[in-house]
Structure formats: C-alpha cells, structure tokens
C-alpha cells in the first residue's frame, strides 16, 4: 500500500487571553470536517478554552498537555492538543480588557509557536502558524511597544528583509505597501523598492495559490492617482517606476489607478490582486466585502503565517457571540499553504 500523505500540523496561538481568541478557536475547531484536514496545536490556556466551550455548549474535543512537558518536544499524536500555559491562570475568564499580563502571555504564545515553526515535526514542530488577535495596548503595558503588531514582530524575530500583509477572501485579495504607520508618515516610507517588493511578493503568493499569471492592479497614493502631478507626484516618482520594474520582470501589474474607482465589481473580476499604498486604503474594501471571511497572511517570512481579520473584541468576551468565520478561514488557508509547500518540497526533491 502506498504511504498516506502526512497531515499538516497547524499551530494556533490564542492571542490576548482576555480577548475572543479562545472562543473563536474552540468554535472553529469544533467542526469535525476541519479537524480531519490537519492536526492542531493550540498555544494558550486550557481553562479559557474550556470556559468558552461550556458557554457554547461544545463538548471538549482536545487533549491538554503542559506547555513545558517533555512530551511537547515530540511529534503530535492527538488530533487537537492544547499546550497549556496555566502559569497565566491569574487572568481568569472575567478580565475583558488590556493588561500587562495579557501582553506577556500573548507574546509567550507567539514566541513558542514561532520556535516550533522552525523545528522538524518529529521534535514538536508545526507546518504553519495561525495567530489569534493580540492587544497592542496589552503589549505596550508589558513593555513591548517597539512592535505595532504581529507582522512587524515576526519580521524582526525571523530577520526577514521584506514582508507584506496580504488579505485573502473569495471576492477580493489585497496587499499593503505600508502597514501600521501614521498617515502623515506614509509618503516618507514609500520608495520604488518598497512598492516593487509588495507587487513581487503578491505575485509570488498568487502563483502559489494556483493562479499562473496573476493580474495585479496598483493603487495610487493621492486623490485621482495624483492627476498627473497636480495632487502629488508620488505616482510619477515612485509608483509608476515600480510598476515598470515589475513589468520588466514579467509581472502583469497595471496602474497606478485612483483608489476610489478601483474596487468596483467589474475590476474585482478583472484583477486577481490589488496593491494598496496604506492600511485603510486596502482594508476598507476588504472589510466591506468580506468582514467575516477575510484572512491576513504575512508574505516574505520563512514560515507560513495567517490570522483572522479582526481584533480582540473585548466587549464580546463571555457572551458567546464571537463569530469564528474569519479564524476558520485563516486555518483553512494555512492548511492549503502548508499542503502546497509540501508538494513544492517533494517536487524539488524529485528534480
């Protein structure tokens, strides 16, 4: 008999313990069809998972293992395992706000999961990482305010030279040239190289997802895409030259287009990927079209990382109202990317 392919192992970090991470993870993985596609390691607090499951009337389906147990350094046996950080149990299930302890815990989850993502599977490694939302305020209270979010932290920890945030949903795929910076600083952050890197990373990502020749639309920065320099010259000095470099590299990138007329139904069918110059320019159409299903995936890292496109939602904690749709989509995309990576690795071995 031919050997069955190994299921990918997906690591999931709980994010801020005071947020909705535990609830959306429990609800997403309660789907037996999803659990059949992979094995899962949850980096978080068993107490909070159990509390969320009880509120949602979901039977416990995971196994608990102390995070620092020797057994955690070996290949996963069970379908779903929670690596339990019960040393943070002082947070309990009644804290629904940013805290110093929440920042410390959520960073510990991501540090350990990142380490696992860089280890072989048989030593407790994982194939891909899904991150539930952190609180930037909690991180600041814990003294971690050097990093605005997961993306910048993971880039720093892995020493990646170029990264980009891509938001993936069935109706729209968008990638950002700049991420968490003030609007007033954007024009100082944009360069020809930065715009080209974003186009290039997005083109590679779309190919990995099965689109042989991605069609890419690039937004301008200014109103009317600068109106030939009347409303700003970044399109002429930076964006257009970056598109030209991309075209010379064989990438089908077009623009720059005025952002206010780009995200139309006709263009959603015409283009496979949209390149936005700043956070809200790209995220407003994504959240309008796919609020509960959009997934953030970080390109340019040496690991696969996805996350839901929402925050900690402290106001929903304990009410059993959090929608798991986005993190479920993030898990499914991580599985898809991990399987694609495994296929690519096998093809390289065969050459």
């Amino acid at each position: 008999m031919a050997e069955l392919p190994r299921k990918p192992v997906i690591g999931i970090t709980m994010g801020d313990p005071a947020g909705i991470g535990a609830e959306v993870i429990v609800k997403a993985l309660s789907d037996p069809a999803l659990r059949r596609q992979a094995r899962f390691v949850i980096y978080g607090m068993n107490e909070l998972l159990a509390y969320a499951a009880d509120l949602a009337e979901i039977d416990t389906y995971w196994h608990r293992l102390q995070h620092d147990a020797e057994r955690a350094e070996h290949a996963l046996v069970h379908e779903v395992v929670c690596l339990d950080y019960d040393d943070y149990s002082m947070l309990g299930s009644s804290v629904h706000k940013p805290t110093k302890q929440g920042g410390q815990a959520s960073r510990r989850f991501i540090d350990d999961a990142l380490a696992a993502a860089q280890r072989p599977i048989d030593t407790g490694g994982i194939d891909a990482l899904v991150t539930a939302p952190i609180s930037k305020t909690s991180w600041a209270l814990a003294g971690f305010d050097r990093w605005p979010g997961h993306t910048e932290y993971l880039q720093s920890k892995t020493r990646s030279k170029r990264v980009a945030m891509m938001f993936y949903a069935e109706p729209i795929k968008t990638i950002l040239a700049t991420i968490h910076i003030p609007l007033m600083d954007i024009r100082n952050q944009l360069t020809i190289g930065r715009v080209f890197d974003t186009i290039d990373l997005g083109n590679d990502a779309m190919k990995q997802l099965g689109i042989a020749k991605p069609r890419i639309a690039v937004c301008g920065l200014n109103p009317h895409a600068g109106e030939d320099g009347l409303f700003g010259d970044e399109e002429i000095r930076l964006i257009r030259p970056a598109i030209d470099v991309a075209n010379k590299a064989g990438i089908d990138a077009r623009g720059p287009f005025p952002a206010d007329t780009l995200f139309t139904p006709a263009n959603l069918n015409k283009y496979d990927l949209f390149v936005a110059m700043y956070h809200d320019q790209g995220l407003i159409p994504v959240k309008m079209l796919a609020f509960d299903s959009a997934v953030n995936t970080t390109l340019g890292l040496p690991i696969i990382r996805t996350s839901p496109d929402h925050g900690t939602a402290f106001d929903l904690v304990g009410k059993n109202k959090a929608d798991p749709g986005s993190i479920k989509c993030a898990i499914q995309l991580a599985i898809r990317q991990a399987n694609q990576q495994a296929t690519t690795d096998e093809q390289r071995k065969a050459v």
Side-chain angles (χ1 to χ4, degrees), residues 45-73:
M45 297 165 61
N46 185 70
E47 172 188 352
L48 297 182
L49 294 174
Y51 176 73
D54 185 55
L55 283 179
E57 298 184 350
I58 295 172
D59 292 335
T60 300
Y61 54 79
W62 64 89
H63 293 260
R64 176 197 172 276
L65 181 64
Q66 189 68 17
H67 70 88
D68 54 359
E70 191 272 339
R71 180 68 188 85
E73 298 179 3

Side-chain angles (χ1 to χ4, degrees), residues 15-169:
D16 196 296
I20 60 171
E23 180 180 340
V24 294
I25 291 169
V26 164
K27 288 179 175 178
L29 293 182
S30 67
D31 181 357
L34 181 59
R35 296 204 304 270
R36 284 193 291 269
Q37 297 177 44
R39 296 184 183 277
F40 302 92
V41 183
I42 303 169
Y43 296 80
M45 297 165 61
N46 185 70
E47 172 188 352
L48 297 182
L49 294 174
Y51 176 73
D54 185 55
L55 283 179
E57 298 184 350
I58 295 172
D59 292 335
T60 300
Y61 54 79
W62 64 89
H63 293 260
R64 176 197 172 276
L65 181 64
Q66 189 68 17
H67 70 88
D68 54 359
E70 191 272 339
R71 180 68 188 85
E73 298 179 3
H74 298 276
L76 181 66
V77 175
H78 299 291
E79 196 173 62
V80 183
V81 172
C82 170
L83 294 184
D84 188 15
Y85 292 73
D86 58 4
D87 36 332
Y88 294 106
S89 61
M90 82 289 289
L91 292 169
S93 58
S94 60
V95 179
H96 306 156
K97 63 181 181 180
T99 63
K100 176 181 178 180
Q101 293 84 1
Q104 292 171 334
S106 56
R107 182 179 174 181
R108 180 73 180 279
F109 303 156
I110 192 67
D111 280 347
D112 289 355
L114 178 59
Q118 299 177 72
R119 291 201 306 267
I121 295 299
D122 59 3
T123 61
I126 59 177
D127 293 298
L129 173 60
V130 179
T131 58
I134 61 170
S135 164
K136 296 174 178 62
T137 303
S138 291
W139 275 45
L141 290 171
F144 308 146
D145 51 353
R146 172 185 168 190
W147 302 281
H150 270 122
T151 301
E152 295 86 351
Y153 185 67
L154 291 170
Q155 179 180 15
S156 174
K157 293 288 285 187
T158 60
R159 299 181 180 179
S160 301
K161 292 184 177 180
R162 58 177 196 168
V163 299
M165 290 173 65
M166 187 176 86
F167 292 84
Y168 179 96

Side-chain angles (χ1 to χ4, degrees), residues 327-348:
I327 198 164
K328 191 171 184 179
C329 290
I331 293 168
Q332 291 169 328
L333 182 59
I335 294 171
R336 180 179 174 183
Q337 289 177 309
N339 285 331
Q340 181 60 47
Q341 184 62 55
T343 299
T344 301
D345 291 344
E346 286 300 318
Q347 290 172 343
R348 287 173 179 169

Side-chain angles (χ1 to χ4, degrees), residues 282-297:
L283 267 292
I284 289 173
V286 168
K287 294 192 176 185
M288 285 286 290
L289 294 170
F291 186 82
D292 292 326
S293 61
V295 176
N296 169 22
T297 181

